[in-house]
Amino acid sequence: MNYTFDWNKVLSGEYLDWIISGVGVTLQISAVSLAIALLLGTAIAVMRMTKVKPLIWFSASFTEFFRNTPLLVQIFFWYFGADSLLPRFALDWLYEQDFEFCAGVIALSVYTAAFIAEEIRAGVNSIPKNQLEASRACGLTFVQAMRYVILPQAFRIIVPPMISQALNLVKNSSLCMTIGVAELTYMARQIESYTFRGFEAFTISTLIYLCISLIVSFSINFYNKRYMRAVSY
């Protein structure tokens, strides 16, 4: 037990730049994935609540498949299986951008969307059914009733579980290091390989993940309280 801690070596020069770069990639992949997951999850939830059986079957299959398979397996699936699934022009575009980043975004988005869809469906089911019927009676289509009447109320109800999903996505983004995405955990692993300062590198990355999670949770809760106060007023 003669280990000597050296925080300055990790928090200075090139290695500090690596940490900052890793944080930027983590925030970027998390933000993009969360935005896509919200849109896709909302669409899947609405499909599940229609009376069109093909849409119900598709949405139910989507939700059950992606919720009940490991995220790491899905990341490998999209990374190694994209050549077999996507057309050539789409692959060429992905390789021109950042294929590893895009594969990570796809995996995180569809995985998180499956959970978000169930949260939204639960929120919609908690709203009295007569509101949808009244909306349809006023001349709104099913999609319009969902967009203007039902979903705004459902999203206010499901804020707490949505915070959990957002935080889980940020933490799950660390798995993208397995396909070469240079996010925070990847950079911490690189620093450990170059400096043999694994304790310092992963302690710093852990604290950064904690700070990001607390900031996200506080921001969403603060917005929700302000919004709810404005609505009640």
Side-chain angles (χ1 to χ4, degrees), residues 33-55:
S33 300
L34 182 60
I36 296 174
L38 281 171
L39 295 174
L40 182 59
T42 302
I44 293 297
V46 172
M47 289 181 190
R48 190 80 177 268
M49 292 178 288
T50 63
K51 295 182 179 180
V52 183
K53 287 189 176 180
L55 294 180

Side-chain angles (χ1 to χ4, degrees), residues 159-160 162-164 166-167 170 209-227 229:
V159 166
M162 290 296 288
I163 293 175
S164 297
L167 298 181
V170 173
Y209 277 118
L210 177 62
C211 291
I212 293 174
S213 298
L214 291 176
I215 290 172
V216 170
S217 179
F218 175 79
S219 299
I220 297 177
N221 277 319
F222 178 76
Y223 172 79
N224 184 54
K225 289 179 181 179
R226 290 287 298 273
Y227 179 72
R229 187 183 302 120

